[in-house]
Amino acid sequence: HMELVQVKGDYTNEHDRMKEQLANLTNLVDTKTTDLTKSHEMTTSLQRELCASKIETTKAMELMTALSEENFKLKQEAEAMSQSRLQYEQREQERKAEVLRLHAKLEEIHSLVPSPSQDSSKDGNTAVVKAEGVCATVP
């Protein structure tokens, strides 16, 4: 009978120990399940952030492309304006040269046309001398 009590006690102890181990394993599984759930939530959140980042990157690339196109257009406009300015300056030089040519032609015509002060009468010479005297007396 004593042996039976001993065997029953050993069995009960073993049973209690196994129950404790099962409880420990259950706690471990619960902890791992919680960790796995948190990890899954973090992965999902990171995937959402990655998608948002991809969308932002795409928008930024589209904006950069648009800005590059605008920059190219502005460069073309600046080149066209520069060409126009050069053409304007060239026309302005041609106009100045034409004005100088016309002035020279006018001087040539004036030198060919005798003026009243150039005739040989004494009155004309007196007028020139008087004019020179007036200019000389101006301080």
Side-chain angles (χ1 to χ4, degrees):
H1 187 306
M2 193 59 115
E3 262 182 51
L4 195 59
V5 171
Q6 182 66 34
V7 169
K8 187 179 177 191
D10 288 348
Y11 175 79
T12 303
N13 285 342
E14 185 65 22
H15 184 72
D16 288 345
R17 197 176 62 72
M18 289 187 116
K19 273 167 97 180
E20 190 178 323
Q21 276 187 340
L22 187 63
N24 287 341
L25 284 172
T26 302
N27 285 338
L28 189 63
V29 167
D30 287 347
T31 301
K32 291 296 177 189
T33 301
T34 302
D35 289 349
L36 188 63
T37 302
K38 285 180 184 174
S39 176
H40 179 71
E41 287 170 359
M42 284 176 62
T43 302
T44 303
S45 174
L46 285 172
Q47 284 175 337
R48 280 193 203 113
E49 286 179 28
L50 182 63
C51 286
S53 176
K54 283 180 182 176
I55 290 168
E56 290 299 316
T57 301
T58 301
K59 285 180 183 175
M61 293 296 282
E62 289 170 357
L63 186 60
M64 269 179 44
T65 301
L67 287 172
S68 292
E69 289 170 1
E70 185 67 22
N71 191 29
F72 180 73
K73 286 178 189 174
L74 287 172
K75 279 183 180 177
Q76 284 182 321
E77 286 176 20
E79 287 174 19
M81 290 173 80
S82 180
Q83 286 295 326
S84 294
R85 184 179 57 82
L86 288 174
Q87 288 172 355
Y88 170 79
E89 288 173 357
Q90 185 178 353
R91 284 194 305 270
E92 197 61 26
Q93 285 180 343
E94 290 168 1
R95 281 190 202 109
K96 284 179 183 177
E98 182 66 10
V99 167
L100 288 174
R101 190 186 67 74
L102 289 172
H103 269 290
K105 195 76 169 166
L106 189 62
E107 291 293 326
E108 184 183 329
I109 291 170
H110 276 295
S111 70
L112 295 176
V113 174
S115 65
S117 65
Q118 284 182 345
D119 78 31
S120 57
S121 76
K122 269 191 156 185
D123 293 336
N125 286 338
T126 308
V128 172
V129 170
K130 284 184 182 174
E132 287 175 357
V134 170
C135 288
T137 60
V138 174

